[in-house]
Amino acid sequence: MCGIVGVVGERNAIPVLVEGLSRLEYRGYDSAGVAVAYQGRLDLCRASGKLVNLREQLRQKPLMGFAGIGHTRWATHGAPTERNAHPHVSAKVAVVHNGIIENYLELRQRLTAAGVVFASETDTEVIPHLIQQALDRGLDPGGAVRAALRQLRGAFALGILFRDHPDLLVAARRGSPLILGLGEGENFIGSDATPLVPYTRRMVYLEDDDVALLDRHRVAITDLDGRPVERSVKQSQVTGEVTEKWPYRHFMQKEIFEQPTAIGETLKGLIDPMGRTVASTLLQGLDAKAISTLNIVACGTSYHAGLVARYWIEDLAGIPVMVDVASEFRYRNSPLVPNGLTLVISQSGETADTLAALRHVKAGGQRVIAIVNVPESTMAREADQMFQTRAGPEIGVASTKAFTTQLVVLAVVALALAKARNRLTPQREQELVGNLLQLPAHIEQVLSQDEAILAIARHLMHATGFLFLGRGTCFPIALEGALKLKEISYIHAEGYAAGEMKHGPIALIDEELPVVVVAPRDGLFDKMISNLQEVRARGGRVVLLSNGGDADNGHAVAADFALDLPRCGDFVDPLLYVVPLQLLAYHIAVLKGTDVDQPRNLAKSVTVE
Ligand code: AGP
């Protein structure tokens, strides 16, 4: 997603902007740019591609200014070219924008009719010209910004500079996150806290339709009508050090191998020394017995975590669970059942569709719990209750450790709900919690098979399509394995409920199509092996993930490639079986030479619809 950074202070803004943009690279982008207001000019530097191109341009043509804005662009309207890179300018105004202006075409037509000549194909470029029109009518910068914003429909987080006010930085947001950083003799803006923490930990989280005017000593926030609003100052806990990937080749590889630690960290706050779930902490004030239904809403990998949780919560707690992708849920007008509870799951805590779903449910009077990895995110602040996954910063666009730590939180929530509804004996709770506590060691065992997984990747890297099959709690793991592969290797892949194969996908089976069968030896194992035989009978190449050891060689022969995983209890199989699928996708992508950490077209946090 686009990244914004801005500063107004007593030092040259350019180094702050470039360092800030490098801290925002993880969000995914395809061009970048900066602007400074200095000596009656707006000086601009923009480059397509990665930040290294912008740095080279700035080396050749250094800029100077005490107020500046920077942007990494994830293209929505207009190709990822220098012409479409932000900042966008009028004669007196420079703007960087994260979001989508939904009525930009009508605004562009109106401005063109008024004589404006547009330089880009972007929706953003209407904003500086609308502000300029208001300035030309005699409004001051704050009034001009408010007048322009009242004409916009859609989402925006904005950083704005003024040619004639070199000590002023203006920020505004609606639907896209934007933070102010309060320094000494300098003030900052950022899409999140990461570019700001080297300079300050004092943050102000703007709310929708806030307009903030910053100079080096003061910050003034108003609503769209110019009325002052008060926003509290929060101390950010975001780690300041730039996460390094060394000694790994990629952040994704590092984060796959960090999962045992991340899972251990996440469990710490959820399990007491007696090995019991800390239900009271989890279900603060919630009458678990009264819950009629549970809605789980999320996107992408986080949605897959919700799909796994449905099996756990329905089986253990006896609560009916509906799981939805947020982009469908928010428009389906699903009735909010009395005594229902909604769970939103999000690594970033900023995904636009999931945030909109949270707000929709809250507006309907239902309680919302958010499971997020970023404790200062918008969802964490707006939910009634927040459970944090303690995965640490996840930089790779493809989500890995956030997913397994989401599953840890969801597993403990399922146990806590079951216990609160008197459906879980202490013995059973100790057994299942024991499975969770042993998981880091079992995942280490799976990670030790990395070379074997690389060998399989070498055999399969030229396939043009994959099918992933699973049943029960491993059906969502098949979906997740397919998503991992397609989003970083660009090979089409599809996850399917194994029982559904005969209802269509079996037509795809031939010797070219690798079929990954996720089959722990649980109650559905024999049915999975039948599906595997159906694939083999049609010449399909099978990759079997199971935990039979050599106890049943018959099945091992039935696969072209087999991985033998540790047995750690059906309950936690999903968390174990996703790891080889993450590694398979990672190795195939590396062998194909794609940009593993920032795959094409993808963003780490999708803050636009
Ligand atoms: C996962 O590998 C993808 N990068 C993507 O599907 C992601 O899970 C989705 O965009 C949701 O993001 P969130 O968890 O931050 O809400």
Side-chain angles (χ1 to χ4, degrees):
M1 210 62 304
C2 301
I4 289 175
V5 62
V7 58
V8 54
E10 297 156 348
R11 61 173 111 191
N12 182 7
I14 294 296
V16 174
L17 298 176
V18 175
E19 171 60 22
L21 293 181
S22 71
R23 288 167 176 267
L24 291 169
E25 280 194 288
Y26 76 90
R27 297 165 70 92
Y29 70 105
D30 37 44
S31 61
V34 293
V36 285
Y38 191 58
Q39 293 181 342
R41 297 190 316 272
L42 284 173
D43 290 331
L44 215 54
C45 181
R46 303 180 303 184
S48 61
K50 296 302 181 190
L51 264 188
V52 61
N53 301 335
L54 182 69
R55 288 181 194 273
E56 178 54 27
Q57 289 204 29
L58 286 166
R59 190 187 63 75
Q60 291 172 18
K61 187 193 152 212
L63 296 181
M64 170 69 201
F66 298 111
I69 50 179
H71 187 266
T72 49
R73 178 176 182 247
W74 183 77
T76 54
H77 297 72
T81 59
E82 179 175 344
R83 196 165 70 94
N84 289 328
H86 299 206
H88 288 288
V89 297
S90 68
K92 300 178 185 175
V93 183
V95 170
V96 290
H97 168 222
N98 181 15
I100 291 183
I101 304 303
E102 293 173 355
N103 61 330
Y104 86 97
L105 279 176
E106 63 184 85
L107 292 170
R108 192 179 173 109
Q109 286 158 1
R110 195 193 319 158
L111 288 161
T112 304
V116 170
V117 177
F118 283 90
S120 79
E121 307 154 88
T122 66
D123 55 333
T124 302
E125 196 182 352
V126 300
I127 300 172
H129 291 293
L130 289 172
I131 298 171
Q132 170 99 33
Q133 280 189 337
L135 287 175
D136 294 347
R137 292 198 303 271
L139 293 178
D140 64 21
V145 169
R146 289 190 289 268
L149 300 188
R150 285 194 288 269
Q151 302 174 66
L152 302 183
R153 279 203 319 275
F156 53 78
L158 300 174
I160 307 166
L161 288 183
F162 294 83
R163 184 194 67 187
D164 303 333
H165 301 267
D167 189 36
L168 177 65
L169 171 63
V170 177
R173 72 150 278 176
R174 181 190 296 159
S176 284
L178 196 60
I179 301 175
L180 310 184
L182 309 184
E184 298 301 323
E186 56 188 4
N187 288 306
F188 306 84
I189 64 172
S191 297
D192 59 45
T194 44
L196 310 184
V197 289
Y199 311 101
T200 178
R201 289 195 169 278
R202 299 172 60 233
M203 306 293 172
V204 173
Y205 294 86
L206 293 184
E207 302 295 341
D208 282 356
D209 288 338
D210 283 358
V211 177
L213 276 70
L214 301 82
D215 64 27
R216 64 185 66 185
H217 298 302
R218 278 180 308 281
V219 171
I221 305 174
T222 73
D223 62 17
L224 272 194
D225 297 321
R227 288 187 294 262
V229 296
E230 285 304 312
R231 295 286 177 238
S232 59
V233 179
K234 293 191 170 30
Q235 198 68 14
S236 173
Q237 306 303 319
V238 168
T239 55
E241 79 280 358
V242 177
T243 311
E244 286 303 327
K245 58 190 171 191
W246 186 87
Y248 297 95
R249 275 187 68 184
H250 299 97
F251 281 111
M252 180 183 178
Q253 186 187 29
K254 173 174 180 272
E255 289 150 9
I256 290 171
F257 279 80
E258 280 178 339
Q259 289 182 111
T261 307
I263 286 169
E265 281 301 310
T266 301
L267 275 171
K268 271 182 192 156
L270 303 174
I271 305 291
D272 71 17
M274 301 299 291
R276 293 169 309 202
T277 57
V278 193
S280 53
T281 306
L282 286 164
L283 306 177
Q284 285 161 5
L286 189 67
D287 178 1
K289 292 190 178 71
I291 298 173
S292 56
T293 58
L294 182 67
N295 285 347
I296 299 179
V297 184
C299 298
T301 287
S302 299
Y303 165 67
H304 295 156
L307 289 175
V308 175
R310 170 167 58 184
Y311 291 87
W312 286 336
I313 294 169
E314 290 190 339
D315 176 47
L316 292 169
I319 301 171
V321 178
M322 184 185 78
V323 188
D324 248 311
V325 288
S327 52
E328 288 300 313
F329 176 80
R330 64 182 289 198
Y331 294 115
R332 208 186 58 229
N333 203 19
S334 174
L336 296 178
V337 179
N339 294 323
L341 173 66
T342 293
L343 210 48
V344 295
I345 308 171
S346 176
Q347 189 285 130
S348 62
E350 301 296 351
T351 298
D353 285 321
T354 311
L355 179 57
L358 180 157
R359 289 171 172 169
H360 167 76
V361 170
K362 279 200 76 174
Q366 197 170 90
R367 184 185 177 98
V368 182
I369 297 176
I371 297 179
V372 296
N373 195 40
V374 180
E376 299 168 11
S377 59
T378 304
M379 279 183 230
R381 288 183 282 114
E382 296 194 9
D384 297 301
Q385 194 177 344
M386 184 267 287
F387 298 151
Q388 186 185 349
T389 52
R390 299 184 187 285
E394 186 176 71
I395 308 300
V397 165
S399 190
T400 51
K401 62 178 184 174
F403 177 66
T404 45
T405 52
Q406 285 167 353
L407 289 180
V408 167
V409 173
L410 288 161
V412 176
V413 167
L415 293 174
L417 288 170
K419 188 157 75 168
R421 292 164 67 96
N422 303 321
R423 291 172 56 99
L424 189 68
T425 65
Q427 295 73 18
R428 179 73 170 141
E429 180 186 19
Q430 296 255 342
E431 177 199 349
L432 297 180
V433 167
N435 290 166
L436 285 169
L437 292 170
Q438 291 154 22
L439 202 50
H442 286 131
I443 289 180
E444 290 289 3
Q445 283 185 47
V446 176
L447 294 170
S448 68
Q449 298 188 50
D450 189 35
E451 281 304 314
I453 296 166
L454 171 58
I456 296 172
R458 285 202 179 96
H459 281 286
L460 302 179
M461 64 176 281
H462 297 298
T464 56
F466 278 71
L467 191 58
F468 290 73
L469 301 178
R471 285 177 182 257
T473 54
C474 283
F475 161 43
I477 299 307
L479 296 176
E480 175 59 12
L483 175 61
K484 286 282 103 35
L485 182 67
K486 60 188 149 191
E487 69 174 323
I488 64 173
S489 73
Y490 314 152
I491 298 173
H492 181 68
E494 202 166 4
Y496 240 90
E500 271 294 285
M501 196 180 60
K502 293 190 290 297
H503 300 281
I506 199 165
L508 293 170
I509 307 296
D510 63 21
E511 61 284 351
E512 298 306 316
L513 183 86
V515 180
V516 180
V517 177
V518 184
R521 301 173 78 83
D522 57 16
L524 296 167
F525 178 72
D526 290 342
K527 295 198 185 327
M528 282 304 294
I529 294 306
S530 302
N531 295 138
L532 182 152
Q533 301 298 8
E534 288 155 10
V535 171
R536 296 281 294 162
R538 289 158 181 81
R541 282 191 292 173
V542 171
V543 181
L544 174 61
L545 275 59
S546 189
N547 51 6
D550 53 9
D552 191 337
N553 274 327
H555 295 313
V557 170
D560 299 271
F561 309 97
L563 286 173
D564 192 26
L565 279 64
R567 290 191 181 210
C568 50
D570 302 355
F571 180 50
V572 294
D573 277 339
L575 290 100
L576 196 74
Y577 280 71
V578 72
V579 175
L581 302 186
Q582 295 167 343
L583 286 171
L584 181 65
Y586 170 75
H587 285 306
I588 289 177
V590 170
L591 289 167
K592 289 179 70 75
T594 58
D595 187 343
V596 170
D597 284 330
Q598 294 173 21
R600 69 185 182 196
N601 309 336
L602 279 175
K604 182 61 184 172
S605 173
V606 183
T607 56
V608 293
E609 281 197 46

